[in-house]
Every structure is written in structure tokens, then in C-alpha cells.
Amino acid sequence: MASELQRKWWKEGIVYQIYPRSFQDTTGNGIGDLRGIIQRLDYIKDLGVDIIWLNPVYVSPNDDNGYDIADYRNIMPEFGTMQDFDELLSGMKERGLKLIMDLVVNHSSDEHPWFIESRKSRDNPYRDYYHWWPAEDGVPPKRWSYFDVDGDAWNYDKTTNAYYLHIFSEKQPDLKWENPKVRKEVHDIMKFWFDKGVDGFRMDVISFISKDTEFPELPEKYQGDFVSFYTDGPKLHEYLHELHTEVLSKYDVMTVGEAPGIGLDKALDFVDESRGEMNMFFHFDLMALDREENEVFLMRKDPWKLTEFKKIHSEWDAVFAEKGWGSMFLNNHDFPRSVSRWGHDSRTHWFKSATMLQTFLLTMRGTPYFYYGEEIGMTNIKFENFSDYKDINTINRYHTIEMQGGDTKAFLENEKDASRDNARTPMQWDSSEHAGFSTIRPWLQVNENYKEGVNVSDQSEDAYSVLNYFRRMIQIRKDNLGLVYGDYQLLQQDNEEIYAYTRTAGASRFLVLLSFTTQRTSINLSELAFNKAKLLISNDDVQAVEGKTFPMYAYQACVYQLD
Ligand code: NOJ
């Protein structure tokens, strides 16, 4: 076990992410709410997870489903009240569950009082809370926006004859972190939630917060790669360090940054403990694997290879081998369902590939993050019609393509695999109408496969379900600290069918074999010294190991303890 790695609750914990809009509706309006989560706390506890990450639940006009916040200290009425929140938190504490919230402070909503004030006049006290470019200086240098129909991150505002910056939608103006008052506001918001007893934050696009406020023309090297430019802000580390000194260091909490654009070379600048910044972050290398270059939402033409998948995980593991800590995830609210993307969601391979992927996350070093529904193998919905989509990203991109006379049909085909709405369909609780999520038609269609066993109720009763495998696999991680902290060693890196690795902590050694193919195959591990391989878990019958050759069925996962 790497000597420098210190034990921490947030390293040993398993995270369960909840998209509250889609988890459980208790008011009959087709939208999930906090009372719905309260109602399901026993279920969550029984999964064996330790930490819940809640996507934003604050007051928001919902241009981007809560990632546009109009009041950082109150709960979105659709989701409930502060009293509900307090009850949720105490219900979690009673059960020994931790709560991390989403901290969305690269931008606010344009309906936040700060922005309402800021846009009123050039000398308003809140003017400097946002980035403004006076129109008399001409058109501002190009900045790219994710959700804007014309891709322009500057929006002209008539009242003060100036442009404001919005890297996301025009209703998500970027906050000006260069203003110390803004930073102080952020610190106070964090303290407010910590003082309530919250255990940490997932920090939305935290790598974008620092900007060169001179707004120079984009340097040549960043043409076509805005993300790297946005993450290269001059004072990023200064602000993160300040967050740590002013707030985080005073509480026993965890932080996980969302860090698009941060590569291996910069990883330790964020999470080396001695720097005092954050605990871990989400990198985007895996999420980019099956996508076009610099286009995290467009599918790449040729299929991804297992060797590439292994390379990403092996390199990231190596970065954190002595310092810092990693986070492991295969999907979230911004990316399609893991079984549809990295496994196989056909009837034949669904169970095996869903459980194989769970085995992967639970046997790697780094904190594992599961996204609601992943425990029952929820799949992409693959909408047929444009009108089925609710996500601003799909809707605005479609309009852009339409405006440019592009191929909207091809785009809709892409969205069947790539759209964020694939991951946002309602939780499938049982086989009753609307999958037990709501009593009326939900805000986003339910995936019809809830009638075919992809639901909690059916799977609870089946010892061999995806759900019960998940519970067993979690227990195995819990029983074997070596799976959390142990050294990782990749075996046979060129094998395109099987991902094999060992995890070693002192005298205990584990062998993990994961098949990523629809065919029967086998792996010979003659390079590995061991006398006996004792099976801890598998998602299929285990065929006799002959010498050092392990036969594997399609998408089989096996975890062995080696003597
Ligand atoms: C990243 C979030 O995960 C995503 O859902 C959101 O649209 C953007 N940040 C903007 O806040």
C-alpha cells in the first residue's frame, strides 16, 4: 500500500449521486422532491453506500435544471422547503449517511438578485460581481459558450450598453471571482451549509472560475480548444487555496471538483494534500473517449478500444499512487448511462455488463461514484423525437444545427447515445404505472424497460439481480481495505478483451478479471506468481481454472484473492 496514503472517510466511502428531479415524486406533480428522497433513505442505506451527492436543490428558474441558481440559501419550491431539507439531513445522520451538495459558483442565474442589480447600471454596487464588456470598446474577443445557440459567450445587454460573459447559457452569467466580495459571498454560502451539518461539496466547473479580465484575443494554441483555455485562468489556484484556508480547513468535509480540461500533468496541483486545495476531482478523459475531439457531446465515428480505456485508468491511478486521491465514475447527470455506453444494454448482455462495470468501480483505487439507477442497471432511453428532449444542451444544439442548415437527423441519431437526458429519466422503483416514480406522467419520460425487470422491486426479490450483486460487491469492498488503498497493477495491457489487474496491500493481493467482450474468451496469467486463487465474487458461473488460464464468459467479472 502506498506509504503516504492516509485513511480518510471520503476515501473509503462510496458515493451515490441523486438527481432530485428524477428520484421520487411525492406531491404528484411529476417532479421528484426532497420528501421523496427522505422516503427512500432506508433503501439507500441498505445499498451499502455511505455518501449522497445531491445535484442542485436551490431556488432556480431551471434553465439548466438547477445549475442556474437564484438563491443559494433556499430550496427550490418544486423540491420542497428548508424544513424538508433539515429533515432529510437529520434522517441521513441517523443512518450514518453523509451528504455532499453541489456548489455552483462559476456562474449564478440571471435571476439572482446580484445579477438583477448588476445589470441595472454601470455604477451599481453589484456591477463588479459579473464580467462586463462596454460596447463602446467594440465587440468583445470571442469566447465560446456551451449552451448558447450561436455559440457566443457574450450577451449584449441594452440597459447599460454592455456585454456580459456566460460560458454556459445566457441565463447563467459568470461570476467575477477577481472581485474579493464575490469570493467572500462564496465562502459565506459554504459556511452556511457546513454549519447546517452538510459534509462537503461537489464543485461545479470549478476549473473555470479564474479569468483574465483583460479578455485578450484567444491565443493561437487554444483555437478550437476553449476548455483548456478556460481552465488555464491565472488565479485559479490562489482562489482554491483561499477557499481551503478560509472555509474548508475549518471543517471535516470532503470536496470533489468538476474539472473539465485538467489533465494528468496538472492533477496534483489540485489534490496534493500539502497544497491545501481540494480532496479529489472528476477528470474528463474517460468521458471524452468515445467522443469527437474537443466535442464532449458528439460521438466519435470509430468504436473505442479497451486498451484506451485501460490506459486512461492506469495513468490516472499512477498520478495518485503516492499523493492526492482519485474519483471513479462511469456516468452522471451529464453523460449517458454506463451500461449502454461501456457495456451492452441488449437483453443478452445487460445483466453481465452492468455488474461487470460495478465490479470495476468497486475494485479500483479512488472513491467510487454511482449514479442513481446504476445499481439496477438503468439504460439509455434513446428518444426518437426531438420533442421528447428537455435538456437545454440538446435543444439548443439542435437549433444551432437547424439555423446553420446542418443535418438535424444525424444530430438526433447522435443524441440517442450522447444526450444528457438519457441519464435523467425517472428512477424505476417498481413495475406499476410510471415505474413508481410518480402518480402522473413525469417531467421526462420513463424508460419502458421498467416493465421488464429494470426496477428496484423486482430486483430486490431476485438473488441474482444487478441490485443484489451491487450490494454484495459493495460488501466485498468494505471487507477488504486493500481494494480501497492497495496498489494497482495492470496486467496484459494489450489485451483488447479482458481488463485484468491486481490490487496489493501488504500480504493481501486481489486479482480482478473483467471481460469487455460479447464472446467467450480466456486469459493466461503465467506471469503472475500465486499458489491459489480463491474466488470472492463473480457475476457468472466460474469455469475451472486450468493452471494459470482463466476461461471467461462474455462480460464476466471475477474477483479473486491470491495466496
Ligand atoms: C456542469 C454540470 O454538471 C452541468 O450539468 C451543468 O450544465 C454545467 N456544469 C453548468 O453548470
Side-chain angles (χ1 to χ4, degrees):
M1 196 176 323
S3 52
E4 307 241 345
L5 294 182
Q6 280 195 358
R7 288 191 66 176
K8 295 275 184 210
W9 62 264
W10 44 264
K11 293 181 179 172
E12 291 169 28
I14 295 164
V15 182
Y16 185 73
Q17 180 191 349
I18 294 182
Y19 199 66
R21 179 164 293 271
S22 301
F23 197 61
Q24 176 72 72
D25 171 22
T26 59
T27 58
N29 65 354
I31 295 173
D33 45 56
L34 297 185
R35 299 216 70 79
I37 304 174
I38 295 172
Q39 195 176 299
R40 298 294 183 176
L41 281 179
D42 285 334
Y43 166 76
I44 298 168
K45 178 70 188 167
D46 280 352
L47 291 174
V49 300
D50 311 278
I51 303 164
I52 293 179
W53 154 24
L54 271 193
N55 285 105
V57 292
Y58 319 96
V59 175
S60 163
N62 283 313
D63 191 49
D64 183 20
N65 283 359
Y67 280 95
D68 45 322
I69 298 172
D71 180 349
Y72 288 95
R73 290 184 173 82
N74 273 305
I75 301 295
M76 185 183 318
E78 277 175 334
F79 288 170
T81 62
M82 192 55 95
Q83 213 179 333
D84 296 331
F85 177 84
D86 292 339
E87 202 178 312
L88 171 64
L89 188 58
S90 65
M92 288 181 62
K93 299 232 178 263
E94 271 163 34
R95 292 168 178 82
L97 292 165
K98 306 252 188 202
L99 176 63
I100 66 170
M101 306 274 283
D102 227 298
L103 182 73
V104 189
V105 285
N106 171 68
H107 44 269
S108 72
S109 161
D110 66 339
E111 296 183 31
H112 193 291
W114 299 334
F115 191 74
I116 294 174
E117 285 302 311
S118 187
R119 78 192 321 178
K120 278 186 184 161
S121 68
R122 288 193 180 187
D123 56 6
N124 187 284
Y126 288 92
R127 184 67 171 181
D128 223 22
Y129 270 45
Y130 296 87
H131 297 280
W132 290 98
W133 177 276
E136 62 273 20
D137 290 354
V139 176
K142 174 80 183 156
R143 292 294 181 268
W144 179 78
S145 156
Y146 277 88
F147 301 150
D148 204 84
V149 179
D150 58 12
D152 186 357
W154 291 106
N155 208 41
Y156 178 70
D157 202 43
K158 209 163 74 238
T159 319
T160 57
N161 188 35
Y163 297 84
Y164 66 85
L165 182 76
H166 63 89
I167 294 180
F168 293 90
S169 91
E170 60 182 47
K171 286 185 66 60
Q172 293 169 297
D174 282 51
L175 282 159
K176 188 169 175 183
W177 277 67
E178 290 67 27
N179 179 353
K181 287 191 195 148
V182 169
R183 303 205 299 277
K184 173 81 172 50
E185 298 272 14
V186 172
H187 300 166
D188 290 348
I189 292 167
M190 293 172 85
K191 286 182 195 157
F192 171 84
W193 291 100
F194 287 147
D195 291 341
K196 270 185 168 293
V198 162
D199 302 289
F201 281 109
R202 173 265 186 188
M203 303 153 110
D204 190 63
V205 284
I206 200 71
S207 51
F208 288 6
I209 55 176
S210 159
K211 277 114 189 159
D212 180 342
T213 52
E214 297 288 310
F215 291 106
E217 289 296 338
L218 199 76
E220 192 55 40
K221 68 170 176 170
Y222 295 115
Q223 294 295 342
D225 179 13
F226 279 90
V227 174
S228 300
F229 176 67
Y230 287 154
T231 59
D232 218 4
K235 296 200 167 160
L236 175 59
H237 291 290
E238 186 182 316
Y239 300 155
L240 293 176
H241 185 62
E242 187 184 59
L243 274 190
H244 188 267
T245 334
E246 293 297 317
V247 189
L248 297 167
S249 59
K250 300 179 177 152
Y251 303 86
D252 176 23
V253 289
M254 73 172 255
T255 45
V256 51
E258 189 203 25
I262 301 302
L264 291 159
D265 53 334
K266 294 193 178 149
L268 289 177
D269 295 348
F270 293 80
V271 296
D272 176 345
E273 293 83 355
S274 65
R275 290 177 57 93
E277 292 196 12
M278 59 178 70
N279 298 138
M280 56 189 138
F281 66 85
F282 298 123
H283 68 76
F284 277 65
D285 286 2
L286 181 68
M287 293 299 118
L289 176 58
D290 59 354
R291 302 302 160 92
E292 292 294 337
E293 206 181 341
N294 298 325
E295 271 290 0
V296 82
F297 294 117
L298 288 184
M299 302 299 294
R300 121 184 176 185
K301 304 284 174 290
D302 51 332
W304 59 273
K305 292 198 176 93
L306 181 61
T307 44
E308 299 169 319
F309 185 98
K310 292 180 192 180
K311 183 167 184 280
I312 291 170
H313 290 105
S314 305
E315 288 180 349
W316 278 94
D317 179 83
V319 169
F320 303 130
E322 300 291 335
K323 287 177 181 169
W325 191 248
S327 49
M328 296 291 305
F329 72 106
L330 293 171
N331 56 186
N332 64 29
H333 63 291
D334 289 333
F335 294 99
R337 287 281 173 186
S338 62
V339 61
S340 300
R341 189 176 186 185
W342 310 115
H344 208 294
D345 60 14
S346 67
R347 227 36 218 158
T348 325
H349 299 297
W350 165 76
F351 168 82
K352 297 271 294 300
S353 61
T355 47
M356 181 277 288
L357 293 168
Q358 293 173 347
T359 314
F360 169 63
L361 285 186
L362 289 166
T363 52
M364 288 292 282
R365 181 154 51 184
T367 300
Y369 288 75
F370 289 93
Y371 183 58
Y372 82 92
E374 198 170 351
E375 73 275 26
I376 53 166
M378 277 175 62
T379 64
N380 285 352
I381 190 159
K382 301 187 195 246
F383 284 134
E384 280 302 328
N385 306 309
F386 176 58
S387 57
D388 294 328
Y389 288 100
K390 297 284 182 280
D391 177 26
I392 184 173
N393 186 45
T394 301
I395 294 173
N396 286 6
R397 275 174 180 253
Y398 181 91
H399 290 316
T400 309
I401 294 169
E402 200 174 38
M403 249 169 43
Q404 295 169 343
D407 189 346
T408 48
K409 240 173 120 190
F411 175 69
L412 287 183
E413 266 317 292
N414 173 81
E415 289 304 271
K416 283 188 185 170
D417 293 318
S419 172
R420 306 197 296 181
D421 277 341
N422 276 312
R424 299 177 177 183
T425 61
M427 178 66 178
Q428 296 168 203
W429 293 107
D430 57 42
S431 57
S432 68
E433 210 186 355
H434 312 305
F437 165 74
S438 176
T439 48
I440 66 160
R441 196 184 151 82
W443 72 279
L444 188 66
Q445 274 175 49
V446 181
N447 193 317
E448 285 297 304
N449 62 15
Y450 76 89
K451 296 173 190 153
E452 294 149 23
V454 189
N455 72 64
V456 170
S457 167
D458 289 358
Q459 292 193 24
S460 299
E461 273 147 42
D462 175 0
Y464 298 99
S465 61
V466 179
L467 177 62
N468 281 320
Y469 182 90
F470 181 68
R471 292 186 172 126
R472 285 204 302 279
M473 190 56 234
I474 283 191
Q475 198 50 50
I476 288 175
R477 187 174 178 93
K478 293 261 143 99
D479 292 345
N480 295 285
L481 219 49
L483 289 175
V484 177
Y485 294 106
D487 287 332
Y488 159 94
Q489 196 191 349
L490 176 64
L491 305 168
Q492 300 190 5
Q493 61 175 9
D494 297 332
N495 189 326
E496 289 290 4
E497 296 184 318
I498 294 176
Y499 191 169
Y501 48 93
T502 54
R503 301 292 314 281
T504 308
S508 74
R509 198 154 51 121
F510 305 91
L511 169 67
V512 182
L513 300 177
L514 307 170
S515 159
F516 276 76
T517 164
T518 55
Q519 310 298 314
R520 276 177 87 146
T521 179
S522 66
I523 183 167
N524 181 283
L525 293 174
S526 42
E527 73 266 42
L528 207 61
F530 64 93
N531 300 319
K532 242 186 22 238
K534 181 183 147 222
L535 186 74
L536 295 182
I537 191 167
S538 177
N539 60 357
D540 204 342
D541 296 337
V542 177
Q543 306 160 76
V545 180
E546 282 177 28
K548 291 195 170 176
T549 299
F550 296 73
M552 305 276 289
Y553 289 110
Y555 290 109
Q556 185 160 16
C558 300
V559 183
Y560 293 94
Q561 182 136 33
L562 298 182
D563 279 335

